[in-house]
Each structure stands twice: as structure tokens, then as C-alpha cells.
Amino acid sequence: MFITPEYLFSGAAAITPEFLKGKGITALVLDVDNTLTGHDSQQLPEAIRDWLDRMRAAGIQLAIASNNNEARVRPFAQSIGLDYVAMSCKPLTFGLARARKKFGVPRRQMAIVGDQLFTDRLAGALYGIPALGVQPMYEDFKKGIRFKRRLEKPFLARYFKKGGKLL
């Protein structure tokens, strides 16, 4: 339950301001690797740049919460004009609490967007906010993440078996 997705999108760009408005969400905490860009990349895909612009135009507050270190996260976040929390220790909720403080919103208006069930989805569940799962942008090349992807399969299957759809 804490790991099975609540929502699963084909990618971050598939999340619309209308969907967020319908859920009362005004602030998004964003993962970086395989959610906004590739692992270890500082390049922002054009589709994600356009999506960030749409979110900003709709008044959605945005911030990054990544388990990566400052040296990885800071230049990426600064290049796209977002506040960030590096070393957020997901699935622990410290990073989400720091992001919420920056937003100044109640939990009911905040959600997390990320590609991993054992970090992003679980962090959202533990913090009491919706997790908007996204399919990874690229194939994982890190062994630890590839291992976790295998562990995620039964939870993804459960999501679809219960009638969940790829949004």
C-alpha cells in the first residue's frame, strides 16, 4: 500500500495543471534523475522545460528534492531556476518537510513527483502527501537502481490489476 503507486504517469510532462487543480495541489516537489533528466545529466529536455513553464504559468510552486549531493543538484536546480533540497534522504521525509517550509503550503496542497517507488512513492506516503509516479525517462545504468526496479515490478503489477492506468 505504501509502495503501490497512487498515480502513474508516462512522464512528468504528462502531469497537467488541470489534474493538479482537481486534486487541490499547488506545489510539487520534484525528483531529478530519470524524472526531469537522465542520471548525472545537467541537460534539461525541451519537453520538460516546456512542462516547467506550463506549471509556473498555472501558479504551481516547484522545488527539487533529490537524494543526490549538493555538487550534483545545485547546478541543475540553478540552471532551471528552482529551489532545491540536496541529500534529502528519501524515503525519509526531512527533504519534503524542508521543501514544504519553502512553499509555505499545507501538506494537502503538496505532492511529490518521481520515478522510484522505494524512494519517492514511499516518501510521499510517509509524509502524507500524494506521490505522482512517473515512468523513468531512460534505462537505468546503475546496478542498485536496476535491482530496485526488479523489486518494483510486483507493486506496479498490483497498481494495474487494481484498475490503475498510465496517465
Side-chain angles (χ1 to χ4, degrees):
M1 285 149 296
F2 281 156
I3 297 173
T4 301
E6 296 169 278
Y7 306 100
L8 188 59
F9 292 84
S10 59
I15 300 168
T16 65
E18 294 77 22
F19 175 87
L20 298 175
K21 183 178 179 184
K23 303 292 181 194
I25 297 168
T26 63
L28 292 178
V29 177
L30 309 169
D31 182 45
V32 174
D33 291 325
N34 247 348
T35 298
L36 298 180
T37 191
H39 280 281
D40 302 326
S41 173
Q42 292 292 324
Q43 303 301 310
L44 187 68
E46 193 63 34
I48 297 297
R49 184 175 309 281
D50 293 345
W51 176 74
L52 291 171
D53 290 343
R54 284 194 314 275
M55 291 293 118
R56 287 177 176 123
I60 303 297
Q61 295 183 76
L62 305 166
I64 289 173
S66 173
N67 286 351
N68 273 298
N69 62 38
E70 182 88 8
R72 161 70 174 117
V73 179
R74 181 179 36 79
F76 181 78
Q78 288 177 339
S79 74
I80 60 175
L82 293 182
D83 279 337
Y84 68 93
V85 177
M87 300 298 294
S88 63
C89 301
K90 295 176 290 183
L92 300 177
T93 61
F94 307 118
L96 299 180
R98 286 178 58 201
R100 187 172 75 85
K101 186 175 180 181
K102 291 178 185 212
F103 292 144
V105 299
R107 289 182 202 202
R108 71 180 178 276
Q109 293 179 346
M110 184 173 134
I112 183 171
V113 177
D115 66 300
Q116 291 191 49
L117 297 181
F118 289 99
T119 54
D120 307 307
R121 167 62 177 115
L122 186 53
L126 292 173
Y127 196 58
I129 64 172
L132 310 181
V134 297
Q135 290 189 315
M137 295 176 80
Y138 306 103
E139 189 171 334
D140 295 300
F141 61 88
K142 295 183 177 185
K143 286 182 184 180
I145 296 173
R146 286 197 326 254
F147 176 72
K148 285 194 283 185
R149 294 287 184 215
R150 286 194 300 264
L151 296 177
E152 289 177 347
K153 286 183 181 183
F155 298 100
L156 293 169
R158 181 181 175 150
Y159 171 78
F160 289 113
K161 185 176 182 181
K162 290 174 65 178
K165 296 181 179 160
L166 188 61
L167 304 170

